[in-house]
């Protein structure tokens, strides 16, 4: 696939896309999920290690994609693993993107119904969300990248300001003792925290669109580092405010943190509505990226135009979104998607990179003899 | 196995809503496509 000139994106746009894709629904549940596993206040160390692991995996994906600079994963997987295996792998990744986008929409609908629009039916919230996303995505990757460039600074700035305002209820003792139970709980917490960084897999598709594909590693490192800082601040502030016992009993601890304080004298005294509006924008960006990736995958797999797939995927995503019957079903779907991502983006790219290197080595040995 | 799959399927209104999710933007896109082609002619 050779993108047109209008489809090219800069290195900074690539980094912005990665940050936006990583920072989805995870930010609201990460403190609870990681504390549930680790059961110590040292979760912030797990967040740090998880980020480094994600960075390593992201670099592997970039190195793999850079070997095929004019192809996306859906095209080069067939070259590396053979036509049928490549098609099956591509189909698995398309399913993953569909599930991810549905999960994001459902999380958004749950939180919106719970905190903002109590009596609005879920279908009304979801439908409008899907239609607006379709309108954006029809414009292509460049429209997406430009919108994300607007969304990211607004969300990051406001989120950090609101998080830092919770310093009033922050207790440093809730984070102590550091490594009181040793390194084992920290390692237990790595899996859920590393899963919160899923999003770098978008590089399987993005490298081909980059104006300077040789700078893709830089984009991944910047993207994951920014997300790491973001997660670190969130986890530290939430545990510092509620302690680990308080975090595990809350479904959305990050929202509860913002709800738990008021600042008088400012334009707003309570900040949760503002945070939720910004967070919905963030979810929207994660959703549109996953949705676009799934449609692009289908279009490239079947060698057709992307537009029919953008329309065709809407009802599929809607049905998957509405399938979990209650919130625990949504979290179970999230766990399933997370576990699938370990294989699809942790193990698979490394395997494909090794196979492609071996193939080149064999080819070179043959041509020299 | 079959019972588990059936029990997890969403209720029938969801499928009608899914059709609406598809039809509304598709109809709008066809309408604008038709307007554009008649303008060109």
């Amino acid at each position: 696939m050779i993108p047109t000139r209008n489809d090219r994106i800069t290195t900074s746009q690539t980094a912005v896309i990665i940050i936006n894709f990583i920072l989805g629904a995870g930010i609201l549940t990460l403190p609870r999920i990681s504390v549930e596993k680790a059961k110590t206040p040292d979760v912030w160390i797990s967040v740090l290690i998880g980020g480094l692991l994600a960075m390593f995996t992201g670099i592997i994906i970039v190195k793999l994609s850079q070997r095929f600079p004019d192809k996306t994963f859906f095209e080069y997987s067939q070259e590396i693993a053979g036509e049928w295996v490549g098609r099956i792998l591509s189909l698995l990744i398309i399913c993953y993107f569909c599930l991810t986008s549905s999960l994001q929409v459902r999380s958004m609908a749950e939180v919106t119904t719970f905190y903002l629009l109590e009596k609005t039916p879920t279908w009304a919230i979801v439908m409008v969300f899907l239609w607006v996303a379709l309108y954006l995505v029809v414009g292509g990757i460049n429209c997406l990248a430009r919108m994300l460039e607007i969304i990211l600074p607004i969300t990051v700035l406001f989120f950090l300001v609101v998080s830092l305002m919770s310093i009033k209820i922050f207790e440093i003792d809730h984070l102590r003792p550091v490594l009181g139970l040793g390194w084992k709980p920290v390692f237990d917490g790595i899996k859920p925290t590393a899963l919160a960084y899923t999003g770098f897999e978008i590089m399987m598709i993005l490298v081909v669109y980059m104006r300077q594909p040789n700078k893709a590693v830089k984009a991944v490192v910047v993207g994951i580092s920014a997300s790491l800082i973001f997660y670190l601040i969130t986890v530290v502030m939430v545990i510092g405010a509620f302690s680990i016992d308080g975090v595990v009993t809350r479904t959305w601890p990050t929202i509860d943190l913002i709800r738990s304080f008021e600042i008088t004298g400012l334009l707003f005294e309570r900040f949760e509505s503002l945070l939720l509006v910004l967070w919905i924008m963030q979810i929207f960006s994660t959703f549109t990226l996953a949705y676009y990736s799934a449609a692009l995958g289908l279009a490239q797999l079947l060698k057709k135009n992307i537009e029919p797939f953008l329309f065709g995927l809407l009802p599929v995503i809607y049905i998957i979104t509405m399938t979990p019957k209650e919130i625990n079903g949504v979290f179970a779907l999230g766990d399933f998607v997370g576990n699938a991502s370990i294989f699809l983006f942790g193990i698979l790219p490394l395997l494909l990179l090794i196979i492609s290197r071996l193939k080149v080595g064999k080819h070179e040995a043959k041509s020299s003899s | 196995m079959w019972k588990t799959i059936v029990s997890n399927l969403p209720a029938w209104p969801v499928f009608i809503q899914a059709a609406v999710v598809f039809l509304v933007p598709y109809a709008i896109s066809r309408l604008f496509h038709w307007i554009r082609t008649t303008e060109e002619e």
Side-chain angles (χ1 to χ4, degrees):
Chain A
M1 182 196 123
I2 299 176
T4 60
R5 220 168 141 238
N6 288 341
D7 275 339
R8 295 281 182 193
I9 52 171
T10 61
T11 311
S12 61
Q13 279 179 323
T14 313
V16 166
I17 289 176
I18 295 168
I19 301 169
N20 270 294
F21 201 32
I22 292 176
L23 300 176
I27 192 94
L28 298 188
T29 50
L30 175 67
R32 177 176 50 80
I33 293 170
S34 49
V35 169
E36 269 173 356
K37 282 274 173 204
K39 297 184 179 76
T40 67
D42 301 326
V43 170
W44 61 272
I45 306 175
S46 309
V47 171
L48 213 63
I49 299 172
L52 294 177
L53 265 177
M55 213 175 281
F56 173 71
T57 322
I59 291 170
I60 288 174
I61 289 178
V62 168
K63 290 286 172 201
L64 176 67
S65 298
Q66 280 176 333
R67 294 180 76 84
F68 306 90
D70 53 352
K71 289 188 171 102
T72 67
F73 176 84
F74 307 112
E75 294 163 316
Y76 68 67
S77 62
Q78 294 177 38
E79 222 167 274
I80 300 172
E83 196 185 340
W84 282 104
V85 177
R87 274 170 186 266
I88 292 165
L89 292 177
S90 301
L91 214 57
L92 285 177
I93 287 183
I94 291 164
C95 289
Y96 168 83
F97 281 128
C98 282
L99 287 175
T100 304
S101 50
S102 305
L103 185 68
Q104 297 295 331
V105 182
R106 183 59 186 263
S107 305
M108 181 278 303
E110 288 288 336
V111 174
T112 309
T113 312
F114 196 69
Y115 290 106
L116 288 176
L117 307 167
E118 278 174 37
K119 288 185 180 163
T120 310
T122 310
W123 60 262
I125 299 169
V126 172
M127 274 187 194
V128 175
F129 200 79
L130 293 182
W131 289 337
V132 177
L134 173 73
Y135 184 62
L136 171 72
V137 165
V138 164
I141 190 83
N142 210 282
C143 288
L144 255 168
R146 273 182 282 155
M147 189 211 61
L148 300 184
E149 274 183 311
I150 300 168
I151 285 182
L152 187 73
I154 303 171
T155 50
V156 169
L157 183 75
F158 277 91
F159 194 91
L160 291 183
V161 167
V162 171
S163 295
L164 293 174
M165 276 179 179
S166 63
I167 203 94
K168 279 172 81 177
I169 52 169
F170 181 82
E171 289 271 349
I172 190 74
D173 285 341
H174 288 160
L175 292 161
R176 288 175 180 157
V178 177
L179 293 175
L181 295 172
W183 281 95
K184 197 189 170 289
V186 174
F187 290 128
D188 289 341
I190 288 177
K191 189 191 160 197
T193 51
L195 290 181
Y197 289 96
T198 47
F200 55 80
E201 65 270 14
I202 196 83
M203 286 309 281
M204 286 176 160
I205 295 156
L206 279 191
V207 175
V208 72
Y209 289 109
M210 287 182 74
R211 275 189 200 149
Q212 294 165 294
N214 54 327
K215 289 190 176 171
V217 171
K218 192 179 160 191
V220 162
V221 171
V222 171
I224 296 177
S225 305
S227 312
L228 194 154
I229 294 167
F230 211 65
Y231 278 153
L232 212 55
I233 292 173
T234 309
V235 166
V236 167
M237 294 314 283
V238 171
I239 297 175
F242 296 135
S243 80
I244 53 166
D245 297 325
V247 170
V248 287
T249 52
R250 290 172 159 87
T251 313
W252 312 99
T254 312
I255 300 180
D256 286 351
L257 171 74
I258 311 298
R259 280 163 65 89
S260 56
F261 66 90
E262 286 178 16
I263 293 184
T264 49
L266 288 177
L267 186 63
F268 302 103
E269 286 189 3
R270 296 179 65 89
F271 293 90
E272 75 258 28
S273 304
L274 182 69
L275 174 92
L276 282 172
V277 170
L278 296 170
W279 178 75
I280 287 169
M281 294 203 298
Q282 202 58 51
I283 284 278
F284 181 71
S285 54
T286 310
F287 165 69
T288 46
L289 283 166
Y291 171 36
Y292 180 78
S293 307
L296 182 76
L298 281 173
Q300 292 189 339
L301 208 59
L302 301 170
K303 297 187 173 66
K304 301 263 188 241
N305 189 8
I306 190 171
E307 210 164 298
F309 296 102
L310 288 172
F311 281 94
L313 274 181
L314 273 186
V316 177
I317 291 173
Y318 183 82
I319 290 170
I320 302 171
T321 301
M322 302 303 269
T323 298
K325 293 200 166 52
E326 25 82 84
I327 190 79
N328 288 330
V330 182
F331 291 142
L333 179 65
D335 288 343
F336 174 73
V337 171
N339 289 332
S341 72
I342 294 175
F343 167 71
L344 290 175
F345 311 116
I347 300 165
L348 185 65
L350 188 63
L351 275 176
L352 291 178
L353 185 65
I354 293 167
I355 293 169
S356 73
R357 287 203 169 201
L358 286 176
K359 270 190 169 178
V360 172
K362 261 188 186 174
H363 186 72
E364 276 171 4
K366 260 188 187 174
S367 55
S368 62
S369 63
Chain B
M1 172 77 177
W2 180 245
K3 271 184 185 172
T4 321
I5 293 169
V6 171
S7 68
N8 280 311
L9 276 179
W12 64 267
V14 171
F15 292 96
I16 294 172
Q17 287 160 2
V20 174
V21 166
F22 169 74
L23 285 174
V24 171
Y26 184 71
I28 295 171
S29 111
R30 293 318 302 169
L31 174 72
F32 279 96
H33 181 76
W34 175 74
I35 291 171
R36 242 178 283 135
T37 43
T38 45
E39 268 177 0
E40 279 166 17
E41 281 167 9

